Amino acid sequence: MKPYFILIIVGIACISFISCKKDQYYIFDDIPRVQFGPPISTLKLNEYTDSLKSETFFYESQDTKQDTVYFDIYTVGETSKKDRKYQLQQVQLQGIENAVPGKHFIPFDDPAVADLYVIKSDSVHARVPIVILRDGELKSKTVNLGISIVANANFAIGEPTKSWRKLQFTDRLSQPNAWTASYSTYYFGAYSVRKHEFMIEVTAQRWDQNFIATLPLDQMNYYKSVLGMAVIDYNKQHPDAPLRAENGDLITFPN
Amino acid sequence: MKKINIYLLLLGFLLVLSCSKDKSNYDYSEKEHIDIEGIESKYTVISLKDTLKISPSAKSNKEGELEYRWGFYETNVQGRSEPLDTISRNQNLSYYITEDAKDWVVVCIVKNKKTGYTQYKNATVTVSTQFTRGWYVLKDDGNNSDLDLHLTPQNNVVNGKIENVYSTANNQKIAGKANFISFSSSYKSNVLNPSSYSNTRALFLVTEKDIQAINVNNLKKIRDKQNLFLGGPQTISGTTGAFVGSSANYILNNGQLYNIYAMSANTGQFGNKAMIDGKNSAYELSKFMISGASNDPILFDNLGGNFVTLANGSGSSMTIFSNDATNDFSTTNNNQKALFLGMKSNIYLPAPDYYYKTVGYAILQDKTDPSLKSLCTLEKNKFVLKIKKDSIGPSSKLYEASLHTLLFEDENLLYFVNNNQVYSRNLSNGFEQLQFSTAGGEQVTFIKHLKYSESGYAFNFVVIGTKIGSNYKIKMFTKNSGNLDSNPVQTLEGTGIARSLIYIAPSVSDYTYPWSY
């Protein structure tokens, strides 16, 4: 028998002996990281929930000069016995109107808010407050705030797809977050500010985030029917000026 | 490649495959089986009165002590998930029934403690209350309405009566003259569990001023005009009604159609009124419907002269039926007013059709020349309505008829009332025949053909309701070749004016009766 043949047999035997080794656990040995995520209540539903939020001062009294919108942020890695600051920055969004620091929102490094961007000790999650300001020009425009995580001494950046958030805000009616694509498809059609106003006029309901997000299915269908009928009646009463969205499209509701 | 290398490669594969776990069964003994005897397939009990007693015996072909466990669960559950409740761990069951009236299932589970082998056997338990079986009569005193319940405890023969049972349960009568009574087993309420809405067996009481859903188990009001509609309280007026269609509950108020799509989550409240077309044109439905739990309704719009339906029980807009090429009348804008619509048959057509062919009749009156009246055969093929017209001559008794009912899936006859006398009309040849004459001063208030097939309680009656002074009589006739027997099988009597009735039993469901006049 040739020597290499014996070697192969021995090799196979060795492989056979070591092939049943117990699997090892993978221990996290990376540096601490931080990344955005969905609210805790929807953590198991869709990890990309809330990457884009909208807010409006429209429903607030004129005394209200600022408001706070919250995102959610999560750490990756072990917890710490100390509070750990994380850092955010505004990123300029292409092709749309960007919010102006100090005018439309309080900058993240402003002493008034800088200490709020912190992961508490023994915690893996925090709510990220974005303080927006009710500037007069928001009555006629919507501004956009791009937010991204900046690496600092405490945290590196987590998954790139979860390192950013976007916030749109205005003092006009705006599309609530709960008015999703499926909401448009099955219930109320394409969003427009004029349609939104019409819905409020006809039903005397707020049609804000909370109202839409908590509307039971049978009431959703009820309002869909009421609004569809109301548009038809409006157009019959205004044959020369049917109800149109701000982009000129005729306003309709799915049957 | 050298042979030795091929052998080594094969050896390697064998090594990889050689570690599969042996799952073979080397037990060649006879499989265990447990026979459970002494359990009927069905039990009927009265809630809060009866104790369900079952004494089974079980034996296994293997050694070991047997242990017993009894479970109880609900059927026809929608909107929630009910667990199997363990109600006993003794061999002999003795269980005091407190459940709501409907069909339940009792399960006897027998386990061999030594081998762990388990066998079970089911039985249907039909739970009733004193309100869940009998003839309900919707009546009024000219101003307000109430219910009488004529009890049928042993068979279809009435034995006992609870008068004014609605007002007894609810401490008030229903406003308005009585109009119609119907039933739904798919109506949703939270009376069983305040936190969830599920199927509730409900009677719909329709008067000229109110529409109420009441719980058949205890006759308590579930909803009325104050909260029956999602849009808030409504004024009930004009043409009113309530009935069941495929996947939907319907209400008529002021000639407008409201629906609940029963196959999706809902709170038992009716939605917005349905439009008749995409232009939201005005319409006014007649009170007559041809409907059933397995098909969409046929309705008639008196304002526009349209035959309409609501497809699949859902959507914001009704559908006007399309015309068959041979129609004598158009399904739309036909300038007619409905004097009657009724269902004659509803037959499922198997492959390649896969739909229910509904046949009904309509009596229509021309709106331009009211002296022109027609008896029309309606044949529904999905959304196509075939209409064949037969003019009604002024000499016919049917010409001046006021109340009508068709013999549903029986002889080809239409029964009707002319001058307080009940006639039949042969739908094949037009032959009319007097079937029943009222005594002096007696007025016919409704007629209805009703049949029911539950073993021990089955009936097939032509029912004639009459008014004498301030009392009613409801005479239930069997028939022979379509003609009424000379004397009624039984007569229900009470105070007030009877307008409508229905037979309710635990096994009555959406599918039991056609929903029609």
Side-chain angles (χ1 to χ4, degrees), chain A residues 17-26:
Chain A
F17 277 115
I18 63 172
S19 60
C20 292
K21 189 179 175 184
K22 187 179 179 181
D23 194 12
Q24 287 187 333
Y25 295 112
Y26 290 96

Side-chain angles (χ1 to χ4, degrees), chain B residues 463-477:
Chain B
V463 179
I464 300 172
T466 63
K467 168 195 165 194
I468 307 170
S470 58
N471 296 319
Y472 69 79
K473 285 188 176 181
I474 298 173
K475 297 167 185 179
M476 299 184 170
F477 291 90

Side-chain angles (χ1 to χ4, degrees), chain B residues 108-125:
Chain B
C108 177
I109 304 163
V110 183
K111 179 181 178 183
N112 186 330
K113 291 169 74 173
K114 184 178 179 182
T115 63
Y117 182 78
T118 302
Q119 182 62 278
Y120 69 92
K121 193 165 186 180
N122 288 346
T124 300
V125 179

